[in-house]
Amino acid sequence: MPSPATGRAVGGEPRAGKQLTPVPTPPPTQGRRSRPLQASSRAAYQAGSGVSGCRCLTQPSRCLPSPSPLARSAARNGSSSFLHSGLQVTQRALIMSNPFAWIVEPLDPNQPAKKFFNLNKLGDGRYGRLPFSIRVLLEAAIRNCDEFLVKKEDVENILNWNVVQHKSVEVPFNPARVILQDLTGVPAVVDFAAMRDAVKKLGGDPEKINPICPADLVIDHSIQVDFSRRSDSLQKNQELEFERNKERFEFLKWGSQAFHNMKIIPPGSGIVHQVNLEYLARVVFDQNGYYYPDSLVGTDSHTTMVDGLGVLGWGVGGIEAEAVMLGQPISMVLPEVIGYKLLGNPQPLVTSTDLVLTVTKHLRQVGVVGKFVEFFGPGVAQLSIADRATIANMCPEYGATAAFFPVDEVSIGYLTQTGRDEEKIKQIKNYLMAVGMFRDFNNFSQDPDFTQVVELDLHTVVPCCSGPKRPQDKVAVSEMKKDFESCLGAKQGFKGFQIAPDRHGDRVKFVYNGGDFELTHGSVVIAAITSCTNTSNPSVMLGAGLLAKKAVEAGLTVKPYIKTSLSPGSGVVTYYLRESGVMHYLAQLGFDVVGYGCMTCIGNSGPLPEPVVEAITQADLVAVGVLSGNRNFEGRIHPNTRANYLASPPLVIAYAIAGSIRIDFEKEPLGVDAKGKEIFLRDIWPTRDEIQAVERQYVIPGMFKEVYQKIETVNESWNALDAPSDKLYTWNPKSTYIKSPPFFENLTLELQPPKSIVDAYVLLNLGDSVTTDHISPAGNIARNSPAARYLTSRGLTPREFNSYGSRRGNDAVMVRGTFANIRLSNKFINKQAPQTIHFPSGETLDVFDAAERYKQAGHALIVLTGKEYGSGSSRDWAAKGPFLLGIKAILAESYERIHRSNLVGMGVIPLQYLPGEDAEILGLTGRERYTIVIPEELAPRMNVQITLDTGKTFQAIMRFDTDVELTYFLNGGILNYMIRKMAS
């Protein structure tokens, strides 16, 4: 590895480079990340931690409310200006405030008004050695450098990535935009509306609560598979979607009118990440006279999908995203970057789904949590953007923060294919080449330095699935039958159901629509082609269509009780499936289009036929769901499918035809044709050449242009919604969907000192891999749950309950739905159930009811848990819910990145056992009472002392990782911090 001061320039030629003159500061490990923060200086820190001064040249509207003296002077002089919150700020003042303004130059000499920050003018050889993903962070830091929120020290740290990457150096990042979906978008807009009320109450200007960073919200998580296997399924499901969610949609439409800088893509348009990839992604921004890389954060963990197009993005908590929308930079630890080198060519029968499941398992073994993964090597050039996006989509499943594919010629070709403007495409390529961010994967001299390099030969990838309970548990298709039968008898766990051996052959007969059928362990009852992971990829979607065509022509069918569905990620998919002539065959097998949204992948799978449910329940069968999704956690897909497997769209159809997961496709036929000939999967599997020929003919730019030019107006039901026009929202006390949250009810401008947690009870004692689905489920509301009792008390019937996900705008429902997953495993009780023990009385109660009793008695609560706490989907209610239950701290062995951030954002303390310790080693039962001492002086990742009522003491790490996170904690959460800032 070359020294940090030398190395290849972007073009590949070795050269010596001069370093920036570093700002005299302490070493990185002793810098601003680890300064103790005294409680006595809280107010000064809250008010003065870099809140004055402008944030960037290219987006002057993102300046925070407190202007620099230079900006105030310019405003008084009445110069030509930009307007934000009544503040006049000159562009000249903005340029003068940036110490790197000297590297600004026109991209095209013939268009002097269109400029960019030419990072090559730094003359620093370290730039050419940086991973391409880190170059995006560097450009953002330089462009936003104002010596207040972003300092020259930050720029130097990023340039010095090769040296400081292991030292947990904190840097700020200003993403270019934010993306949301409706399940996380509704609570965000609810919070914004409530924050406006709070700012007004504290004497400030409520209209300061306004998205400053551009935000796109795609409504895609509300539609459910209520109807399937009928020609009018799409229409029926969309009608029900509006019937159930009209109030939510009216609220979102109000938000799009009341808040500036927020675009809403109506329901029925597609899945957020596919719409982002095909339509919303800019790749390069052209704004206010400047070019700069597109980048984003999103409130869905699979925001990383757009990394496949060369747009750096990742998922954050909804609470953190709200702060970014209000102009706060993300404070992040400069990540290590794992170089993932792809070699060779895939085998003819392998799909992108097989590839991503292989990558997921491999990177789980490598260990990439909290790191960037950047793909390189000649194998990348063999992958389409759809293939790359599939791999990037499942980044959360292998644990990385981002999964970046730098822009290359294939990326440019995709922009052309998806109907982007040709002149803009030319500008994108010219800018990226000029700034050293355009990649040639066959030019090895461009390969940057990485923290670690791992390799995958694409030729070694074989057809596979993942399951039955986790996406990282890859199983080769050839081993699926054997693996499932092994799981049946194995001990209860991620790969076990603990079914007694004498029950493995149990069969239950039932009648459905006048026909006689039977179910056994492994019977497929849900088969769904769903989720952005695969529906954005024409190769696997057309592959599924061609397989369906051959299956129908061979006389194969799918049993009528299996709930089959097709939910495309955008209207473009339907377009090319129809034009290529395969839609008819998909429908014949039951795969009609049921809606445009995530649907089955997020648990919106709708009800199973009652005779099927009765048969499963009667024999306690391990029934199976097969889906082309990215998540298959226990209890997520459907309450009655205990085993769920992720598979490519063609394999979803194959298992639907087979009717069981207990089939060896190599040795056992799918069925017989009219002549009695056995039909094997290999007989109907389309070749790569067949698929590519159809794709070249039917996936064309005109389709994308036609679908997306009318995307914001095509939904007549959305257009007909009547939304209020007031800037402050008028809350309806009768609403069970939208309710003003209680987060800010007692908020004052003055900070309150943090208090130690004294004699807390343990509400729950949990194990490893507790997901956000366990903490805050998105699916159906059980009829015997606290949330159901609340909704019933408000006059609703079970048919009107809708899902937890749709109720995220109402805290009264969501707090009752916290830890309400029926598959929750609490060590206090000997069964899976959303229950716990209320220790003062000894009663076993629903989690909410127990928490209410503790709260009424004035007792604080904590939760004990194991590794990977909060893995799974990004859900702010997985932090808001525990906060409202009265949980003050979580004590875990490790955390999923986004969820820990969400806990910080709500002021819940994330505690972590010291290395080598856990509850078992420390002898913790959870029946003790815990006192956690919060010291006067706080520092990131400091140890705190925990004392039990038994007299035992031990220490844990307080996982506030940066000074900024400590500031949020001292304010009682990030939203409180922003309200105080805006109201002061």
Side-chain angles (χ1 to χ4, degrees):
M1 185 177 291
S3 71
T6 62
R8 290 188 293 272
V10 174
E13 294 300 319
R15 73 178 185 190
K18 66 177 182 179
Q19 294 191 31
L20 290 174
T21 303
V23 178
T25 56
T29 53
Q30 300 172 12
R32 64 182 185 175
R33 179 182 170 274
S34 57
R35 287 197 304 266
L37 190 61
Q38 295 188 26
S40 59
S41 65
R42 284 188 303 272
Y45 190 87
Q46 178 268 330
S49 59
V51 298
S52 66
C54 294
R55 289 190 50 195
C56 69
L57 301 179
T58 55
Q59 291 177 282
S61 64
R62 295 176 65 180
C63 303
L64 289 172
S66 179
S68 68
L70 181 61
R72 284 196 294 266
S73 173
R76 284 196 298 269
N77 292 335
S79 304
S80 174
S81 59
F82 296 101
L83 178 65
H84 170 60
S85 299
L87 191 66
Q88 300 289 331
V89 183
T90 67
Q91 186 173 21
R92 181 180 178 187
L94 291 166
I95 293 174
M96 290 173 62
S97 71
N98 190 314
F100 296 97
W102 62 276
I103 69 171
V104 172
E105 65 181 28
L107 180 63
D108 182 348
N110 297 318
Q111 293 182 300
K114 295 291 188 72
K115 301 180 176 67
F116 77 112
F117 282 77
N118 187 351
L119 274 60
N120 290 305
K121 286 180 70 175
L122 294 171
D124 194 316
R126 292 174 296 175
Y127 178 61
R129 304 304 310 143
L130 292 177
F132 282 65
S133 51
I134 299 298
R135 298 180 197 188
V136 178
L137 300 184
L138 177 66
E139 191 282 338
I142 287 176
R143 177 166 39 88
N144 291 286
C145 187
D146 58 3
E147 289 295 2
F148 289 97
L149 289 174
V150 184
K151 301 184 178 182
K152 286 180 68 176
E153 173 192 354
D154 299 313
V155 173
E156 172 63 22
N157 279 334
I158 299 173
L159 268 170
N160 212 28
W161 171 85
N162 227 335
V163 174
V164 304
Q165 59 175 301
H166 306 295
K167 298 181 179 179
S168 298
V169 173
E170 174 196 352
V171 295
F173 174 55
N174 306 108
R177 59 189 174 99
V178 174
I179 196 163
L180 311 96
Q181 37 90 341
D182 54 302
L183 291 195
T184 52
V186 167
V189 178
V190 166
D191 287 346
F192 271 41
M195 289 170 76
R196 278 192 171 179
D197 292 342
V199 168
K200 182 179 180 182
K201 181 181 176 182
L202 293 174
D205 177 5
E207 290 201 45
K208 283 186 178 179
I209 300 297
N210 219 35
I212 296 168
C213 182
D216 302 310
L217 193 160
V218 181
I219 302 175
D220 70 337
H221 276 54
S222 297
I223 191 166
Q224 301 183 31
V225 191
D226 291 285
F227 294 90
S228 62
R229 304 193 72 151
R230 45 190 289 176
S231 59
D232 61 350
S233 294
L234 174 62
Q235 178 187 342
K236 290 287 188 182
N237 288 328
Q238 288 183 335
E239 287 173 355
L240 263 180
E241 178 187 21
F242 265 83
E243 179 184 323
R244 289 174 175 139
N245 297 286
K246 182 181 179 184
E247 189 178 341
R248 295 172 65 242
F249 293 167
E250 286 175 341
F251 176 70
L252 286 176
K253 195 165 187 179
W254 167 81
S256 68
Q257 298 167 358
F259 298 107
H260 304 304
N261 239 355
M262 180 184 288
K263 176 189 289 186
I264 292 188
I265 305 298
S269 303
I271 300 174
V272 55
H273 307 304
Q274 187 164 341
V275 174
N276 191 21
L277 193 72
E278 295 175 352
Y279 175 62
L280 295 173
R282 285 78 155 174
V283 182
V284 170
F285 260 80
D286 175 4
Q287 186 162 314
N288 292 328
Y290 284 85
Y291 294 108
Y292 53 96
D294 187 6
S295 61
L296 71 156
V297 292
T299 58
D300 189 285
S301 51
H302 294 104
T303 298
T304 52
M305 183 171 181
V306 79
D307 289 355
L309 185 56
V311 176
L312 183 63
W314 61 85
V316 297
I319 304 155
E320 190 174 7
E322 291 170 32
V324 173
M325 290 166 69
L326 289 171
Q328 283 290 104
I330 287 176
S331 180
M332 62 184 294
V333 174
L334 194 61
E336 296 180 3
V337 182
I338 305 301
Y340 199 87
K341 189 172 187 178
L342 296 177
L343 304 166
N345 292 293
Q347 296 184 47
L349 299 183
V350 166
T351 68
S352 59
T353 314
D354 304 320
L355 174 56
V356 71
L357 296 180
T358 301
V359 169
T360 297
K361 182 174 182 179
H362 185 198
L363 284 175
R364 273 281 177 179
Q365 294 169 336
V366 170
V368 294
V369 173
K371 303 175 185 179
F372 283 4
V373 174
E374 185 168 311
F375 293 83
F376 75 111
V380 177
Q382 307 301 315
L383 302 179
S384 67
I385 293 301
D387 291 339
R388 299 177 193 182
T390 299
I391 295 169
N393 177 280
M394 287 192 70
C395 175
E397 280 65 54
Y398 42 84
T401 299
F404 193 64
F405 289 83
V407 175
D408 68 343
E409 287 291 352
V410 176
S411 316
I412 298 299
Y414 177 82
L415 295 177
T416 300
Q417 181 190 37
T418 51
R420 264 63 168 220
D421 179 78
E422 287 297 328
E423 185 59 33
K424 289 184 178 179
I425 295 173
K426 181 181 177 182
Q427 292 169 355
I428 288 168
K429 183 174 180 180
N430 288 344
Y431 167 78
L432 293 172
M433 291 185 72
V435 82
M437 296 187 191
F438 193 79
R439 192 73 163 92
D440 178 355
F441 290 103
N442 290 309
N443 181 357
F444 304 145
S445 67
Q446 276 194 1
D447 292 353
D449 295 331
F450 293 110
T451 307
Q452 176 187 355
V453 172
V454 293
E455 294 184 356
L456 176 68
D457 184 345
L458 296 176
H459 193 70
T460 64
V461 178
V462 298
C464 57
C465 300
S466 278
K469 301 181 184 182
R470 296 191 303 180
Q472 64 262 39
D473 293 330
K474 186 192 78 165
V475 185
V477 171
S478 59
E479 298 292 319
M480 280 286 287
K481 179 179 180 179
K482 179 181 176 183
D483 186 80
F484 177 80
E485 290 175 347
S486 171
C487 289
L488 271 182
K491 182 181 177 182
Q492 182 71 38
F494 298 126
K495 295 288 287 186
F497 297 100
Q498 209 161 334
I499 303 296
D502 61 348
R503 290 192 49 231
H504 288 193
D506 285 0
R507 295 179 180 275
V508 179
K509 296 184 182 297
F510 67 100
V511 176
Y512 178 73
N513 285 352
D516 294 323
F517 301 96
E518 68 176 19
L519 293 180
T520 185
H521 295 294
S523 290
V524 173
V525 295
I526 290 177
I529 299 176
T530 181
S531 170
C532 49
T533 306
N534 287 286
T535 65
S536 62
N537 195 322
S539 66
V540 292
M541 297 302 289
L542 288 168
L546 291 171
L547 183 142
K549 180 177 184 291
K550 294 183 178 186
V552 170
E553 289 171 346
L556 300 177
T557 60
V558 175
K559 294 180 176 65
Y561 62 81
I562 297 176
K563 189 161 192 177
T564 50
S565 61
L566 166 60
S567 50
S570 78
V572 174
V573 179
T574 305
Y575 205 144
Y576 65 65
L577 289 177
R578 186 176 61 243
E579 292 298 307
S580 62
V582 299
M583 183 68 86
H584 169 69
Y585 298 100
L586 287 163
Q588 279 190 260
L589 292 179
F591 290 91
D592 303 90
V593 173
V594 295
Y596 296 92
C598 294
M599 304 189 85
T600 299
C601 189
I602 59 161
N604 286 356
S605 49
L608 289 173
E610 202 58 42
V612 173
V613 173
E614 290 174 359
I616 294 171
T617 305
Q618 176 186 334
D620 193 27
L621 296 178
V622 180
V624 176
V626 183
L627 65 151
S628 63
N630 46 42
R631 295 267 166 84
N632 57 340
F633 299 124
E634 195 173 21
R636 177 185 176 98
I637 305 305
H638 193 281
N640 296 113
T641 57
R642 289 160 65 185
N644 296 281
Y645 287 91
L646 307 182
S648 66
L651 277 175
V652 170
I653 296 176
Y655 279 113
I657 293 170
S660 174
I661 212 77
R662 299 167 81 170
I663 181 173
D664 184 337
F665 287 127
E666 286 297 314
K667 300 175 182 177
E668 301 173 59
L670 289 169
V672 295
D673 64 13
K675 298 179 181 179
K677 178 187 174 184
E678 292 183 334
I679 305 297
F680 289 83
L681 180 58
R682 58 180 172 268
D683 299 325
I684 62 172
W685 195 271
T687 66
R688 185 182 298 275
D689 289 342
E690 284 180 272
I691 296 170
Q692 289 178 344
V694 175
E695 183 176 350
R696 281 192 297 269
Q697 183 176 355
Y698 292 105
V699 184
I700 56 177
M703 290 182 176
F704 293 88
K705 290 179 180 178
E706 183 175 336
V707 168
Y708 283 112
Q709 69 185 2
K710 56 188 178 182
I711 192 171
E712 294 179 49
T713 58
V714 72
N715 191 316
E716 294 300 329
S717 297
W718 174 265
N719 297 339
L721 288 176
D722 184 22
S725 57
D726 300 335
K727 295 299 182 182
L728 293 176
Y729 188 70
T730 303
W731 306 96
N732 179 0
K734 295 181 180 179
S735 174
T736 57
Y737 277 106
I738 307 297
K739 179 178 175 289
S740 180
F743 307 134
F744 318 122
E745 286 178 353
N746 300 313
L747 183 66
T748 62
L749 281 174
E750 298 74 29
L751 289 175
Q752 304 300 314
K755 299 178 181 178
S756 295
I757 301 169
V758 180
D759 284 338
Y761 282 97
V762 175
L763 181 64
L764 294 158
N765 189 359
L766 307 172
D768 295 338
S769 295
V770 174
T771 70
T772 52
D773 283 291
H774 290 115
I775 305 166
S776 184
N780 67 301
I781 298 173
R783 296 187 181 190
N784 61 346
S785 65
R789 293 195 292 272
Y790 168 79
L791 291 172
T792 300
S793 74
R794 300 298 300 271
L796 275 65
T797 64
R799 183 181 177 276
E800 299 169 305
F801 286 173
N802 210 334
S803 65
Y804 281 114
S806 69
R807 298 278 178 184
R808 287 182 181 166
N810 187 315
D811 62 274
V813 175
M814 296 309 297
V815 68
R816 288 167 171 81
T818 304
F819 296 110
N821 191 308
I822 61 172
R823 300 297 179 192
L824 183 72
S825 294
N826 178 10
K827 295 177 183 178
F828 290 152
I829 58 177
N830 296 318
K831 61 179 180 179
Q832 288 187 329
Q835 295 180 321
T836 194
I837 295 175
H838 176 251
F839 287 110
S841 67
E843 293 181 65
T844 297
L845 302 171
D846 288 327
V847 173
F848 170 77
D849 295 333
E852 279 295 287
R853 285 212 197 165
Y854 283 123
K855 186 184 295 185
Q856 290 166 7
H859 297 307
L861 297 171
I862 67 168
V863 169
L864 301 183
T865 185
K867 300 180 182 69
E868 299 176 349
Y869 180 73
S871 56
S873 300
S874 164
R875 290 188 184 160
D876 56 347
W877 269 108
K880 289 177 176 177
F883 170 81
L884 291 179
L885 286 178
I887 294 169
K888 303 299 183 183
I890 310 289
L891 179 55
E893 292 179 56
S894 64
Y895 292 90
E896 193 277 338
R897 176 185 60 84
I898 298 175
H899 184 63
R900 187 198 63 82
S901 171
N902 269 337
L903 292 172
V904 172
M906 287 307 299
V908 177
I909 303 174
L911 298 171
Q912 186 165 316
Y913 293 104
L914 296 180
E917 295 184 352
D918 57 28
E920 184 177 354
I921 290 171
L922 292 171
L924 308 180
T925 66
R927 296 171 182 269
E928 311 90 351
R929 297 182 70 175
Y930 291 66
T931 293
I932 302 163
V933 178
I934 309 299
E936 177 73 10
E937 291 192 0
L938 301 175
R941 296 183 71 98
M942 70 182 298
N943 290 355
V944 294
Q945 182 161 301
I946 301 174
T947 303
L948 310 184
D949 60 349
T950 61
K952 182 180 181 63
T953 63
F954 63 98
Q955 290 193 327
I957 305 166
M958 190 161 61
R959 285 292 309 277
F960 298 124
D961 288 358
T962 67
D963 280 340
V964 172
E965 290 186 345
L966 276 175
T967 301
Y968 296 155
F969 169 64
L970 293 171
N971 276 269
I974 192 170
L975 302 183
N976 292 357
Y977 170 77
M978 293 306 301
I979 289 172
R980 288 190 174 103
K981 181 184 293 292
M982 297 297 184
S984 59

